Amino acid sequence: MRRLLTGATAVALGVTGTLVMANSGSATADEEIRYIVAYAEGSSAASARAAVRDAGGEIVSENKDIGVATVTAGEGFAAKADASKALVGAAQDRVVAATTPDAARDARKQDVSKVETEFRTGAKGHGPKAPKPKPKGEPLSGLQWDMKQIDAGAANKTERGKGVRVGIMDTGVDGSHPDIAPNFDARLSRNFTTDIPTDANGAAVDGPCEEEADGSCEDAADVDENGHGTHVASTIASPVNGVGISGVAPQADIVNLRVGQDSGYFFLQPSVDALTYAAHNGIDVVNMSYYVDPWLFNCTSHPADSAADQAEQTTIITAMQRALDYAHRRGVTLVAAAGNQAIDYTKPQTDASSPDFASEPGEEPYVRDLLDPESCVSMPTEADGVIAVSATGPSERKSYYSSFGDGFVDVAAPGGDAYDTAEGTRDYAANILAAYPRDLAVAEGAIDPETGEVLVPWAVSDCSSGECSYYQYLQGTSMASPHAAGVAALIVGKYGKHDFSGKTLSADKVEKILRKSATKKACPVPADYTYVRHLPDGSTSTSTHTCEGGEAPNGFYGDGIVNAKAAVGR
């Protein structure tokens, strides 16, 4: 992938430990705002804390491993923090104790994942019929074209990822799902988020706390009210247990490291805290199918950005790279989705979606022309040490929505493409099937709460074991990334050494094997590939993407489509 940043080292704080509560001063405004602050490299902890206090902030928690603090302060804090030599800057998080609206939960989805729900029309009707159980394979394995594409079944004859811990940095994981529970590590799982009722403009985000099942904004570490994280976890490590499907690494441990809101936003503090937690707790692989809000692309000096916005984006880049470096050095393989914007990340772009979250009243997205692709970075996908994964459909073509770029994409993996059909018409079965939380399926009208009957064409049930479990078809680079993460888990299982957590292998070695074992896939001929989609409303959509590079690497597939069998030996 394209390397944009110099690897930052953690500041010399002289202490160990994470998330230490510390008071350093008092906020100066009636309405407090929460900020994430990055300490400048070389600054002592004492001088950085003093700088926070002098700027009018109060430290409420501190990640000492990477020199990042959570601070509450008044509105003038960010400018003062940016001016301090002891601080890199401050990224505004949200207003503390925002007013809760009398409104239903917002259905907003993170842009990296939005195509996954694009085709849900709400039409009634049964989903695809499940194939009859076979002597070998799970009941729904016949619907898993994705596992065949990467030779997962052949790999699982000799390697299934036992002793490997995979961290799911996502919207949560339904630890009670029958096809996740056997591999779910409840002891290590953590929720690093707190539900946000509204944004600064009063728009609903996660919805009122009192509407939660427990009446609280604090969700347990085995809950997923979005479905995205459960789907990702299932693709990686659903067990071979006679239920539903199997994952790429069916004996790996699933560790929920929740960093995403119910609404699909992913913010800075949960991400950095989850990465340092992963480093301390023997997590071998983490999957990151998202970008850090509120900026799709973080620019440090874009002329359209205010000084405060420039400082915020600099803080996001600095804090995330430090956390990623910290985890990478401690053996955590970092895998991320390439994004669903259908753009070439190595070419000039226009970002009209940022900032996508209002952290102060009146804040709205605005247009920025990014003429120099090297000057702005999407985190974590474009960070140093991260494996960027593009998506493929059943025919192995790059999915129509998948972003790409020669030098940006490292490998490709199945992500689904509902229009990868002979006629270019929609077929849900061309997407990726994985676990679907039952409660969410009921809330979304996908199943009848009384009978358990599937009511939509994008969901499937398996009741062969006596207890029904549910699955949904999704598509996106969010679905591609966990396939690569699953293969990475198999690599750790095959070649790793035993340690306190089970198995361990350096992240650099895992990446080397993952890329070298990928099935080489050349650019299409002609390289200007045109996608034709016949949409359900009768219209036709066309788009043309240009693949640069040779057989491998190239802009569509990187070093190739991941191959589980080749990765663990034939």
Side-chain angles (χ1 to χ4, degrees):
M1 65 179 295
R2 180 159 47 106
R3 304 300 182 189
L4 302 179
L5 304 173
T6 301
T9 57
V11 295
L13 296 177
V15 229
T16 59
T18 307
L19 294 177
V20 178
M21 303 302 291
N23 292 323
S24 64
S26 299
T28 58
D30 292 334
E31 183 176 53
E32 292 186 334
I33 299 171
R34 198 169 75 177
Y35 296 88
I36 310 302
V37 177
Y39 298 168
E41 290 195 39
S43 296
S44 67
S47 62
R49 291 169 185 157
V52 170
R53 181 182 61 248
D54 292 344
E58 179 178 359
I59 295 177
V60 295
S61 66
E62 187 178 45
N63 189 321
K64 292 186 176 183
D65 294 312
I66 60 173
V68 172
T70 302
V71 174
T72 55
E75 291 184 357
F77 174 79
K80 294 176 182 178
D82 187 37
S84 172
K85 293 182 179 179
L87 306 174
V88 172
Q92 188 167 320
D93 193 7
R94 62 186 175 95
V95 176
V96 177
T99 302
T100 301
D102 184 15
R105 184 177 304 275
D106 195 309
R108 184 262 187 195
K109 292 281 186 179
Q110 170 64 269
D111 193 35
V112 165
S113 316
K114 69 180 181 182
V115 296
E116 295 150 23
T117 54
E118 177 183 343
F119 309 110
R120 294 185 175 183
T121 62
K124 298 291 184 179
H126 297 286
K129 292 182 178 179
K132 293 182 179 180
K134 299 177 181 179
K136 294 182 179 180
E138 301 295 83
L140 302 181
S141 62
L143 303 178
Q144 291 187 279
W145 61 265
D146 50 318
M147 297 300 167
K148 296 180 178 66
Q149 186 174 109
I150 66 171
D151 283 337
N156 292 159
K157 292 179 180 179
T158 59
E159 179 57 53
R160 295 188 174 189
K162 186 175 182 179
V164 180
R165 294 175 177 172
V166 183
I168 313 300
M169 291 179 60
D170 216 289
T171 61
V173 176
D174 177 9
S176 67
H177 192 286
D179 227 2
I180 285 179
N183 288 341
F184 186 74
D185 190 329
R187 181 182 65 86
L188 283 180
S189 292
R190 296 289 186 274
N191 177 10
F192 295 93
T193 71
T194 301
D195 289 350
I196 302 172
T198 69
D199 66 14
N201 288 329
V205 180
D206 296 326
C209 298
E210 58 269 22
E211 292 186 5
E212 290 286 310
D214 60 358
S216 166
C217 277
E218 305 286 342
D219 291 332
D222 60 352
V223 171
D224 179 15
E225 296 179 338
N226 179 290
H228 189 271
T230 297
H231 195 280
V232 165
S234 175
T235 295
I236 294 172
S238 273
V240 176
N241 60 345
V243 175
I245 66 170
S246 61
V248 181
Q251 289 183 344
D253 294 331
I254 297 170
V255 181
N256 176 22
L257 303 179
R258 178 175 163 178
V259 298
Q261 305 298 134
D262 292 339
S263 50
Y265 288 101
F266 292 77
F267 294 114
L268 178 60
Q269 182 186 3
S271 294
V272 299
D273 289 343
L275 285 164
T276 51
Y277 178 87
H280 291 155
N281 288 277
I283 306 301
D284 299 293
V285 182
V286 296
N287 186 84
M288 301 173 287
S289 291
Y290 67 94
Y291 69 82
V292 177
D293 292 293
W295 304 90
L296 171 57
F297 291 100
N298 294 275
C299 310
T300 59
S301 58
H302 196 285
D305 296 336
S306 67
D309 285 343
Q310 290 178 1
E312 177 177 75
Q313 292 169 78
T314 300
T315 301
I316 291 172
I317 294 171
T318 302
M320 277 300 293
Q321 190 62 66
R322 284 181 186 172
L324 291 163
D325 287 344
Y326 188 83
H328 187 271
R329 289 194 300 269
R330 286 157 180 77
V332 183
T333 298
L334 309 165
V335 186
N340 297 340
Q341 300 83 24
I343 59 176
D344 186 335
Y345 267 54
T346 68
K347 300 293 187 289
Q349 301 295 337
T350 296
D351 179 9
S353 66
S354 303
D356 62 9
F357 180 84
S359 55
E360 58 185 32
E363 191 169 31
E364 298 287 348
Y366 55 91
V367 176
R368 298 184 299 170
D369 291 323
L370 311 180
L371 300 179
D372 179 7
E374 297 289 335
S375 66
C376 302
V377 59
S378 188
M379 299 296 284
T381 306
E382 291 190 282
D384 290 347
V386 175
I387 302 168
V389 186
S390 64
T392 62
S395 74
E396 297 188 351
R397 76 174 189 180
K398 182 191 77 67
S399 303
Y400 74 90
Y401 55 79
S402 178
S403 290
F404 56 101
D406 191 16
F408 163 59
V409 171
D410 292 313
V411 291
D417 185 340
Y419 291 95
D420 187 10
T421 60
E423 300 80 16
T425 53
R426 183 178 67 184
D427 180 6
Y428 290 106
N431 290 341
I432 306 299
L433 187 70
Y436 190 13
R438 186 187 188 282
D439 288 347
L440 181 63
V442 170
E444 293 184 340
I447 63 173
D448 186 308
E450 300 297 329
T451 66
E453 178 187 8
V454 174
L455 303 175
V456 296
W458 40 265
V460 178
S461 66
D462 172 32
C463 304
S464 59
S465 66
E467 175 186 6
C468 290
S469 55
Y470 296 91
Y471 305 82
Q472 62 175 326
Y473 282 107
L474 297 180
Q475 66 174 10
T477 55
S478 286
M479 283 58 256
S481 181
H483 286 86
V487 176
L490 294 179
I491 292 169
V492 176
K494 173 72 173 182
Y495 303 106
K497 297 180 179 179
H498 289 279
D499 71 348
F500 74 95
S501 65
K503 292 286 188 71
T504 185
L505 186 66
S506 79
D508 287 336
K509 289 183 179 179
V510 175
E511 179 175 359
K512 182 178 180 180
I513 296 170
L514 182 72
R515 295 171 70 133
K516 186 176 181 180
S517 62
T519 302
K520 309 308 176 188
K521 182 75 174 176
C523 286
V525 179
D528 293 331
Y529 186 83
T530 298
Y531 296 86
V532 179
R533 294 183 292 138
H534 299 292
L535 305 180
D537 63 5
S539 64
T540 298
S541 173
T542 62
S543 58
T544 300
H545 299 168
T546 302
C547 182
E548 296 179 338
E551 180 185 26
N554 59 58
F556 278 11
Y557 304 99
D559 282 327
I561 301 173
V562 297
N563 188 291
K565 180 181 178 182
V568 298
R570 297 181 183 277

